[in-house]
């Protein structure tokens, strides 16, 4: 039988523990934003095509930039890359919050912000995946750290959309974008606290 301490053994590493808890709130916010963005686009346009365009614009940069961004993650300090990408994600989410809360959102602007998110994600993903290797102290705990990251990702995928549905029902999409923007502060603070 596997003990609870063995299940979470990677959390013994201070830096990994900071990163894990720091990104937990941010990942929930990311899923909230994804649901809210789809809801917003469909509410504004009633168009499945434009909903697809917004989704496509946030994914296509990774296809073209992956060869460059993987090299960047190997050549530059990963923590610095992650602080920069998380800050840019925060700016994008807060920009969405402002334009939606002010009622000045337009589909071209939303597509542009989705494209921006995709470009930032292309830099963030390879650095984030490689960063775990640097912050788990014991090599024996590395596979556990990767597994915990995966579990966190999937748990946030369950919690984020549910929270988004409640917030959209009560206050609208803008609050979801605002909550996501503020959630990046936890990840940035954790990254800055890592030694």
């Amino acid at each position: 039988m596997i003990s609870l301490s063995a299940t979470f053994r990677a959390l013994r590493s201070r830096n990994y523990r900071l990163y894990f808890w720091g990104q937990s709130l941010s990942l929930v916010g990311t899923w909230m934003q994804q649901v809210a963005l789809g809801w917003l686009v469909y509410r504004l346009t009633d168009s499945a095509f434009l909903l697809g365009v917004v989704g496509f614009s946030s994914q296509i940069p990774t296809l073209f930039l992956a060869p460059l961004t993987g090299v960047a993650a190997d050549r530059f300090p990963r923590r610095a890359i992650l602080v920069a990408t998380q800050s840019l994600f925060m700016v994008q989410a807060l920009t969405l919050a402002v334009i939606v809360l002010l009622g000045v959102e337009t589909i071209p602007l939303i597509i542009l912000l989705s494209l921006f998110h995709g470009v930032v994600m292309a830099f963030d993903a390879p650095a984030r995946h490689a960063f775990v290797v640097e912050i788990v102290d014991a090599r024996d705990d590395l596979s556990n750290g990767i597994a915990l990251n995966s579990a966190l990702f999937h748990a946030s995928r369950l919690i984020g959309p549910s929270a988004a549905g409640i917030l959209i029902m009560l206050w609208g999409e803008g609050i979801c974008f605002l909550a996501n923007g503020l959630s990046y502060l936890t990840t940035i603070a954790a990254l800055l606290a890592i030694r």
Side-chain angles (χ1 to χ4, degrees):
M1 184 161 182
I2 299 173
S3 71
L4 198 59
S5 61
T7 304
F8 298 100
R9 67 183 184 273
L11 293 175
R12 294 182 297 194
S13 300
R14 176 192 176 272
N15 288 338
Y16 180 79
R17 191 169 56 246
L18 281 168
Y19 180 68
F20 181 87
W21 293 118
Q23 73 169 345
S24 61
L25 190 59
S26 177
L27 283 172
V28 169
T30 299
W31 284 105
M32 285 173 46
Q33 175 167 311
Q34 213 164 10
V35 168
L37 192 60
W39 184 269
L40 174 67
V41 171
Y42 200 71
R43 179 177 62 80
L44 291 175
T45 66
D46 204 28
S47 167
F49 173 75
L50 286 174
L51 186 59
V53 168
V54 170
F56 179 79
S57 66
S58 70
Q59 300 297 320
I60 194 64
T62 302
L63 178 66
F64 293 107
L65 295 176
L68 302 172
T69 59
V71 171
D74 289 335
R75 290 200 177 167
F76 299 103
R78 292 174 186 136
R79 183 170 75 158
I81 292 172
L82 291 172
V83 169
T85 58
Q86 297 300 302
S87 300
L88 291 171
F89 282 142
M90 183 172 67
V91 167
Q92 187 260 4
L94 293 177
T95 302
L96 273 170
V98 168
I99 65 171
V100 171
L101 292 172
L102 293 178
V104 296
E105 69 274 20
T106 64
I107 292 303
L109 185 54
I110 290 170
I111 291 171
L112 185 65
L113 286 168
S114 292
L115 190 64
F116 175 78
H117 185 275
V119 170
V120 177
M121 180 61 80
F123 284 90
D124 181 78
R128 188 166 18 96
H129 294 308
F131 190 58
V132 173
V133 176
E134 294 179 10
I135 57 175
V136 174
D137 294 336
R139 291 295 141 226
D140 292 343
D141 294 344
L142 183 57
S143 61
N144 180 251
I146 293 168
L148 286 176
N149 262 16
S150 180
L152 178 63
F153 178 82
H154 291 294
S156 64
R157 194 171 164 176
L158 177 69
I159 297 166
S162 305
I166 294 167
L167 291 177
I168 291 168
M169 180 184 70
L170 294 174
W171 297 293
E173 304 94 348
I175 296 301
C176 292
F177 301 135
L178 180 62
N180 183 40
L182 296 176
S183 76
Y184 286 109
L185 292 173
T186 61
T187 304
I188 294 167
L191 287 166
L192 293 175
I194 287 172
R195 289 194 292 261

